Amino acid sequence: MRNLKINLAASLSVFMLLTSACSSGGTGNKPAASPPPTTAENKPAQTGFDWKQFSGQKISLLANKQPWITTLEPHIKEFEQLTGIKVNTMIFPEDQVRQKALISLQASSDEFDVFMSLKSREGLQYYNSGFYENLDGYVTNAKITSPDFDVKDFFEGPLNGEKIKGNLVGLPINVEGPVLYYNKELFQKYGAEVPKTLDEIETAAKKIVDGSKGQIHGVTLRGLPGALPFTFGNFIYNNGKTWFDDGKPNFQDPTRIKAIQQYADLAKKYGPPGVVQYSFYQSSALFAQGKVAMEIESTNELNSIIDPKNSRVIDKTGVVPVPPGPGGSKLTQLQWGLSINKFAKNKEAAWLFMQWATSKEMQLEMALNGIASPRKSTWDNEKFKSSMDTPLKQQWVEALKFIMANANPDVGPPAEDQAQVRQLIGEMVDKVILGDKTAEEAAKEADAKLTEVLNKK
């Protein structure tokens, strides 16, 4: 226990130091108990805050299908009881949410009031288009902001990640980064070593694929073009490069060519069929079934991977940061946030929902279910500390600590049109995975297309 406390204290210290410099992490099985629910009976009595002031209103939440909403959704009835506000949830896969959000916002639609938004991707574009409600005035308005909300409890990094040009346009709901999940039983059965470098991922994958005579896939990672940069970027960084040179695309650079080839070889030679259509849903489902030896994915996927309802690898999983390359280790770190639709009709009711969904109590619930919290209080909470009670959870804490200490906040290259830029990078790598082009040919084509997109500004 003493060692665990030391580890957690060290983890928290590093987290605090680094999030103060940049921005945004998830763990194991469900805990024995949830925190006390926030109810209409106890909350107003504790604070005197009028949670019922917008009772009777109705709001809609547009959310990606991912662990955060899966954990939150069963508790929404507690918010409805607390406030008298009815919540309609609109939950779709990430790509569909993006399409729906953009179409609705461009039409100035009030179809949803609150929505999940990735500021590192669409943030600047949405801000410049006037799609976000500015929240600075909300936070300082005592009539609509509970004294228990405590905005200063958020780590500086994640909270700053929800600001654009100095304006607060969202509240952080998680922090995450890429890790390498591995199946300990398969590694032992086929005599593979846990990779310590990027090159050793292929070595381990080949050993397991050859040993199982192709019955087990070596590794799964993202292949869906728009989602691919989150995992591919770590191959760029760990080979010693950033996305662009002096703001200009240069994927024909030999080091970036190597990164493209490295990623494509893993997917093509040792990945599952159809990997170019894979995002975290498909990769985590495959890993949870014990059909692949390694998965490169977000820290937030651990709870899905070891979900007792579906997983065959609960006691077989290990996790380490994505291994370093010749350039060391610089791993992508990101966060999701909640924002209010500028065109929403019930913005104040939406603000109450955002406070509740990002409250200390709910962030603790999230953390106990494997979603790393952007709030300091969660990491200080004794229930959270005591929940880190298995080797896997302790590995996760160590991996998250490493990510926070070696983070790069750029999921994609600097560009307003992140969606198109990331799509082009994903298509570039996929053409090499599919054998349609060599890495050199795909890089040359991508450089030209990316330059064209950047010059449109």
Side-chain angles (χ1 to χ4, degrees):
M1 178 60 78
R2 176 176 169 76
N3 288 339
L4 176 57
K5 289 181 177 178
I6 291 171
N7 286 342
L8 284 166
S11 174
L12 177 59
S13 298
V14 173
F15 184 92
M16 293 177 69
L17 283 171
L18 282 138
T19 51
S20 66
C22 41
S23 77
S24 44
T27 157
N29 288 324
K30 289 188 176 182
S34 299
T38 304
T39 67
E41 287 70 29
N42 63 33
K43 198 72 178 181
Q46 292 171 355
T47 67
F49 181 72
D50 183 8
W51 284 93
K52 291 283 191 186
Q53 58 187 301
F54 303 111
S55 179
Q57 292 190 11
K58 182 178 180 180
I59 63 171
S60 291
L61 166 66
L62 180 63
N64 303 339
K65 186 179 180 181
Q66 56 142 272
W68 180 82
I69 189 61
T70 304
T71 304
L72 183 78
E73 194 173 23
H75 292 278
I76 288 179
K77 59 182 180 297
E78 296 163 14
F79 172 77
E80 294 178 331
Q81 181 184 11
L82 173 68
T83 63
I85 298 168
K86 182 69 177 174
V87 180
N88 173 49
T89 57
M90 307 161 70
I91 303 170
F92 306 99
E94 185 173 331
D95 282 355
Q96 290 181 31
V97 165
R98 280 221 168 80
Q99 292 173 10
K100 188 175 187 63
L102 185 57
I103 291 171
S104 293
L105 291 165
Q106 286 177 327
S108 304
S109 169
D110 60 1
E111 183 180 11
F112 53 85
D113 302 86
V114 185
F115 63 109
M116 286 177 64
S117 177
L118 193 63
K119 305 303 182 300
S120 62
R121 187 180 188 278
E122 65 266 13
L124 186 59
Q125 178 188 14
Y126 280 20
Y127 179 86
N128 288 339
S129 300
F131 294 162
Y132 292 126
E133 178 75 357
N134 188 312
L135 302 178
D136 288 310
Y138 288 69
V139 173
T140 57
N141 187 339
K143 184 176 186 305
I144 58 172
T145 300
S146 167
D148 288 342
F149 177 58
D150 193 7
V151 69
K152 295 180 179 177
D153 185 48
F154 289 103
F155 287 109
E156 187 176 343
L159 189 62
N160 284 338
E162 294 298 317
K163 295 179 181 178
I164 300 178
K165 298 182 179 178
N167 299 299
L168 185 68
V169 296
L171 295 176
I173 59 174
N174 67 359
V175 287
E176 60 182 296
V179 290
L180 177 73
Y181 298 102
Y182 63 96
N183 185 313
K184 294 185 290 186
E185 184 178 70
L186 293 174
F187 269 67
Q188 184 175 17
K189 182 176 181 179
Y190 297 111
E193 298 289 335
V194 178
K196 293 184 174 60
T197 67
L198 280 181
D199 287 338
E200 290 181 6
I201 298 176
E202 181 167 354
T203 303
K206 183 176 189 312
K207 193 148 194 168
I208 291 170
V209 169
D210 289 348
S212 68
K213 300 186 184 308
Q215 295 301 302
I216 301 294
H217 303 297
V219 60
T220 184
L221 30 63
R222 296 189 182 192
L224 195 66
L228 180 146
F230 175 70
T231 45
F232 171 61
N234 303 286
F235 287 71
I236 296 280
Y237 299 147
N238 289 5
N239 274 296
K241 287 287 184 177
T242 55
W243 285 107
F244 286 170
D245 288 336
D246 298 325
K248 298 178 180 177
N250 184 16
F251 284 100
Q252 295 173 81
D253 170 87
T255 300
R256 295 191 180 91
I257 291 287
K258 177 186 175 183
I260 295 167
Q261 193 67 58
Q262 207 168 26
Y263 193 93
D265 283 348
L266 288 175
K268 183 177 182 178
K269 296 178 181 177
Y270 309 107
V275 69
V276 295
Q277 295 299 321
Y278 271 43
S279 186
F280 56 89
Y281 308 115
Q282 298 83 1
S283 284
S284 294
L286 193 71
F287 187 88
Q289 291 302 303
K291 296 179 178 177
V292 60
M294 293 177 282
E295 177 187 5
I296 299 175
E297 251 310 331
S298 165
T299 47
N300 278 353
E301 281 301 294
L302 182 56
N303 201 40
S304 297
I305 288 171
I306 59 173
D307 184 342
K309 295 194 295 291
N310 306 305
S311 179
R312 297 179 180 175
V313 299
I314 294 174
D315 300 322
K316 303 172 184 174
T317 299
V319 57
V320 293
V322 173
S329 187
K330 202 74 175 172
L331 303 176
T332 305
Q333 176 192 308
L334 63 81
Q335 66 183 62
W336 280 92
L338 286 179
S339 293
I340 295 177
N341 175 2
K342 181 71 175 179
F343 313 107
K345 288 182 179 176
N346 298 316
K347 295 176 183 175
E348 291 83 3
W351 174 241
L352 291 193
F353 177 81
M354 287 176 62
Q355 292 177 64
W356 170 83
T358 62
S359 65
K360 294 176 182 178
E361 294 88 350
M362 194 51 64
Q363 292 287 182
L364 174 59
E365 174 72 359
M366 295 291 169
L368 293 172
N369 282 278
I371 301 165
S373 172
R375 278 189 176 273
K376 302 169 190 173
S377 57
T378 307
W379 296 78
D380 290 332
N381 185 277
E382 291 301 323
K383 182 178 285 186
F384 173 70
K385 292 179 180 179
S386 63
S387 70
M388 300 293 103
D389 57 356
T390 68
L392 176 57
K393 292 175 181 178
Q394 291 168 14
Q395 272 191 315
W396 174 82
V397 168
E398 291 303 315
L400 183 57
K401 178 174 65 176
F402 184 87
I403 291 168
M404 297 303 171
N406 298 275
N408 189 319
D410 296 327
V411 182
E416 181 173 329
D417 194 347
Q418 281 286 312
Q420 189 169 4
V421 166
R422 294 187 195 185
Q423 180 76 16
L424 288 172
I425 292 171
E427 289 173 355
M428 170 186 71
V429 178
D430 281 353
K431 287 175 182 175
V432 184
I433 295 172
L434 294 169
D436 293 339
K437 289 185 182 295
T438 65
E440 290 80 3
E441 292 169 343
K444 183 178 181 180
E445 180 183 76
D447 281 344
K449 289 183 177 180
L450 287 164
T451 300
E452 187 177 334
V453 170
L454 295 173
N455 288 339
K456 284 181 180 176
K457 289 186 62 178

